[in-house]
Amino acid sequence: VLVTAAVVTYFQPREYQSSSFIEVRSTAQNPHIFNQEPGGDPNLPIHDPTLAPTVYEVIQRTGILYPVIEDLKLQERWGGRGAPGLSREQAYAILRGKLEVEPVRNTDLLQISVFDQNPQLAADIANKIVSVYQDKRIEEEKDILNRAVGSMKDEVSKQQQSVDDAAAD
């Protein structure tokens, strides 16, 4: 029995693991100018304890993995020779099977591991997942900050109106 297991293991295709790490922390800053809390530093990053579990789920969703599939042309790569290629949903299912996302204990890090018979492809996929996530996160943070700037401009206008009214009196 032991010999059979050794022979089967020897002839199985080798599978490589490539991992990337991502730090899960909000890059937005507390945009308080008016009514700032005493002792509050507006330059400190916002700490959100629900961010890591959210990122864990988001990384495995189509919003992140579909661009990875498209950018790396995984539908064609995994479709086989002479075959018309996989559908995006089939490639997504294969990628989910090759993907493992785990929190790193006692840190703000997530480990994104990809398993594949091609070590370079595993590395490319892991790095592309991080890249796509970071790009999307930066866009979200920009939107948050733009809304905060809009609110601050409204508040400045209100304060200016108050000053103008006081000056008129």
Side-chain angles (χ1 to χ4, degrees):
V1 174
L2 185 58
V3 173
T4 304
V7 169
V8 168
T9 301
Y10 180 77
F11 286 108
Q12 283 185 331
R14 295 180 194 270
E15 192 165 72
Y16 299 91
Q17 173 187 355
S18 181
S19 297
S20 290
F21 293 85
I22 188 168
E23 186 174 12
V24 182
R25 200 177 339 166
S26 176
T27 56
Q29 302 201 343
N30 299 322
H32 299 294
I33 292 180
F34 305 105
N35 303 325
Q36 185 171 336
E37 302 102 34
D41 184 354
N43 298 318
L44 291 177
I46 299 169
H47 177 68
D48 184 358
T50 63
L51 189 57
T54 302
V55 171
Y56 173 86
E57 292 298 324
V58 166
I59 284 175
Q60 301 177 68
R61 304 292 175 170
T62 58
I64 300 297
L65 297 185
Y66 276 180
V68 171
I69 290 167
E70 292 166 8
D71 290 351
L72 296 177
K73 298 181 181 12
L74 297 179
Q75 291 170 259
E76 293 83 21
R77 282 188 177 194
W78 292 335
R81 296 176 188 220
L86 302 173
S87 71
R88 192 164 60 165
E89 292 77 18
Q90 289 171 320
Y92 173 76
I94 291 170
L95 181 53
R96 282 292 307 262
K98 294 176 177 281
L99 177 64
E100 190 175 279
V101 181
E102 296 179 331
V104 177
R105 191 188 205 78
N106 298 325
T107 69
D108 288 334
L109 298 175
L110 285 179
Q111 179 178 357
I112 299 166
S113 300
V114 178
F115 299 87
D116 196 83
Q117 293 176 6
N118 179 337
Q120 185 60 52
L121 182 59
D124 290 345
I125 293 171
N127 290 332
K128 182 56 87 170
I129 289 170
V130 170
S131 174
V132 169
Y133 173 75
Q134 286 177 331
D135 291 345
K136 287 193 180 282
R137 189 72 185 143
I138 288 169
E139 285 303 314
E140 289 172 2
E141 294 286 346
K142 282 182 184 177
D143 289 344
I144 290 169
L145 290 174
N146 286 337
R147 285 194 302 270
V149 167
S151 295
M152 282 189 259
K153 285 181 179 179
D154 291 345
E155 186 63 28
V156 166
S157 295
K158 289 178 189 173
Q159 295 291 332
Q160 185 63 46
Q161 186 61 43
S162 296
V163 169
D164 292 345
D165 292 346
D169 287 345

